[in-house]
């Protein structure tokens, strides 16, 4: 009798982004993938996910070549939209607030990944929330640009 494969059902499995999140430090990051994913725990909750390769950092937690990710809870528009817009503005140094539209953001998550390969700078530090939880804040700035990003 043939034994069942350890991988039976793998074709139905969902994959998820990297689970190593930014820790305090200064980074130069190269964009690998930008997507919107469903929460694994809460159906109907979505996250904006950016996956990066570390180009350089002063963080003791990572080195060049490490994979890290940054997630934003899209159910919290009051904080999600400003944080995501700050990231999008760092992709190209010449874009303005008005250039960051829903259409431009939709284009960033399309299959062709127009921002893949762009570098951005990130500064990450920890704060304590009102609820007493640790939270890593990130500010973004431009590192290099390209002309094929849909802004």
């Amino acid at each position: 009798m043939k034994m069942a494969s350890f991988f039976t059902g793998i074709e139905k499995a969902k994959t998820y982004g990297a689970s190593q999140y930014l820790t305090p430090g200064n980074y130069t990051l190269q964009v690998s993938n930008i997507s919107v994913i469903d929460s694994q725990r809460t159906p109907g909750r979505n996250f904006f996910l950016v996956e990066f390769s570390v180009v350089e950092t002063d963080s003791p937690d990572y080195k060049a070549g490490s994979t890290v990710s940054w997630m934003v809870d899209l159910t919290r528009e009051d904080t999600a939209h400003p944080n995501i817009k700050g990231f999008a503005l760092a992709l190209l140094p010449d874009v303005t607030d008005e250039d960051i539209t829903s259409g431009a953001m939709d284009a960033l998550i399309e299959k062709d990944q127009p921002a893949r390969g762009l570098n951005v700078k990130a500064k990450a530090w920890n704060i304590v929330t009102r609820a007493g939880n640790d939270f890593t804040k990130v500010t973004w700035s431009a590192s290099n640009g390209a002309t094929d990003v849909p802004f």
Side-chain angles (χ1 to χ4, degrees):
M1 180 161 99
K2 186 176 177 184
M3 190 164 129
S5 170
F6 287 108
F7 304 105
T8 300
I10 195 168
E11 56 278 344
K12 296 176 187 167
K14 289 185 179 182
T15 59
Y16 298 96
S19 60
Q20 296 187 91
Y21 301 113
L22 291 170
T23 58
N26 297 294
Y27 297 85
T28 300
L29 302 168
Q30 185 175 71
V31 175
S32 301
N33 189 59
I34 302 174
S35 59
V36 172
I37 63 169
D38 295 323
S39 170
Q40 296 177 36
R41 295 184 196 141
T42 310
R45 189 174 189 186
N46 297 303
F47 291 91
F48 179 79
L49 171 68
V50 186
E51 296 169 287
F52 303 95
S53 177
V54 175
V55 176
E56 57 184 21
T57 185
D58 61 7
S59 170
D61 300 316
Y62 301 112
K63 60 182 180 180
S66 297
T67 300
V68 295
S69 59
W70 177 66
M71 286 178 54
V72 177
D73 183 349
L74 289 169
T75 62
R76 305 230 16 227
E77 284 184 27
D78 59 327
T79 56
H81 287 178
N83 285 314
I84 293 168
K85 191 173 196 175
F87 165 74
L89 285 166
L91 289 173
L92 292 169
D94 297 331
V95 298
T96 66
D97 277 6
E98 294 78 28
D99 294 323
I100 309 300
T101 64
S102 60
M105 294 307 300
D106 287 340
L108 283 180
I109 64 172
E110 288 180 358
K111 189 176 181 177
D112 65 347
Q113 291 291 299
R116 181 179 287 135
L118 292 180
N119 287 355
V120 292
K121 296 213 179 264
K123 179 180 181 178
W125 70 97
N126 284 340
I127 63 165
V128 178
T129 66
R130 283 183 241 167
N133 301 318
D134 287 332
F135 180 78
T136 304
K137 288 195 67 126
V138 181
T139 57
W140 302 98
S141 59
S143 179
N144 69 359
T147 58
D148 59 346
V149 177
F151 297 109

